[in-house]
Amino acid sequence: KQEVTQIPAALSVPEGENLVLNCSFTDSAIYNLQWFRQDPGKGLTSLLLIQSSQREQTSGRLNASLDKSSGRSTLYIAASQPGDSATYLCAVIANNDMRFGAGTRLTVKP
Amino acid sequence: GAGVSQSPSNKVTEKGKDVELRCDPISGHTALYWYRQSLGQGLEFLIYFQGNSAPDKSGLPSDRFSAERTGGSVSTLTIQRTQQEDSAVYLCASSLMSANYNEQFFGPGTRLTVL
């Protein structure tokens, strides 16, 4: 059974810092990995989707990498802003079976 | 529509009553997914539809849970004889063809409280 772990569970940084969120998974037989953000009381917003054949995806200040063989993904956020404060979730997808990590709660202090 | 919509946004019910939760996916999306997010818990995958078919129902927590999708569009998740442990946020997502290859887009969720 696929298990997805996100470290750290919570992170607090001052505005302007670059930061890395980590996601690991136990079964490398995945189709893709997707990163989301969730604001309190809201649904999930898709940030980046990495197909299993890709190694990274970039969108603005966000960069996600995927090392399928070692079961790891990272989400890099450059020049963090208070508006980036949210919970960040990674999900691995294998044959329409989606497994989510418990998330990293990020606080960016002004 | 512009995005995935869910109704109701909030539902409070008494233990033992049946509830129906509705999801309207993005127009043209053939794949639809239901998840549950309990307080302090991660997201739990419940069921997915490809068109009107649900190939795998093993993620549903019990036989009190059922789901259907008609016309390849709207889906309803029904919980019979609700229990307090059913209290959670129920999230729906859709993707163009399959989450195997396409992004999932989530609705705002339905917050269910069973008293």
Side-chain angles (χ1 to χ4, degrees), chain A residues 34-49:
Chain A
Q34 194 167 357
W35 282 93
F36 298 88
R37 69 173 279 168
Q38 186 173 31
D39 294 280
K42 307 284 187 184
L44 276 67
T45 301
S46 175
L47 297 173
L48 290 163
L49 171 71

Side-chain angles (χ1 to χ4, degrees), chain B residues 5-76:
Chain B
S5 60
Q6 293 185 246
S7 60
S9 55
N10 279 285
K11 176 72 176 178
V12 180
T13 191
E14 293 179 348
K15 178 180 170 182
K17 295 280 177 73
D18 298 351
V19 295
E20 263 191 14
L21 312 180
R22 176 187 168 110
C23 172
D24 276 280
I26 293 172
S27 178
H29 280 195
T30 62
L32 184 148
Y33 306 83
W34 283 100
Y35 297 88
R36 177 168 72 173
Q37 189 171 34
S38 305
L39 188 63
Q41 304 284 324
L43 267 151
E44 178 186 9
F45 169 62
L46 300 179
I47 191 170
Y48 86 94
F49 288 89
Q50 192 63 47
N52 293 333
S53 299
D56 182 2
K57 299 181 182 179
S58 62
L60 295 174
S62 76
D63 58 9
R64 297 184 294 104
F65 286 70
S66 63
E68 66 173 17
R69 188 180 187 195
T70 55
S73 182
V74 171
S75 176
T76 54

Side-chain angles (χ1 to χ4, degrees), chain A residues 15-55:
Chain A
E15 182 176 6
E17 269 203 12
N18 303 324
L19 56 101
V20 175
L21 307 180
N22 297 289
C23 173
S24 61
F25 47 96
T26 54
D27 186 347
S28 62
I30 65 170
Y31 281 79
N32 66 54
L33 183 146
Q34 194 167 357
W35 282 93
F36 298 88
R37 69 173 279 168
Q38 186 173 31
D39 294 280
K42 307 284 187 184
L44 276 67
T45 301
S46 175
L47 297 173
L48 290 163
L49 171 71
I50 312 178
Q51 301 288 356
S52 62
S53 58
Q54 298 174 321
R55 293 193 68 84

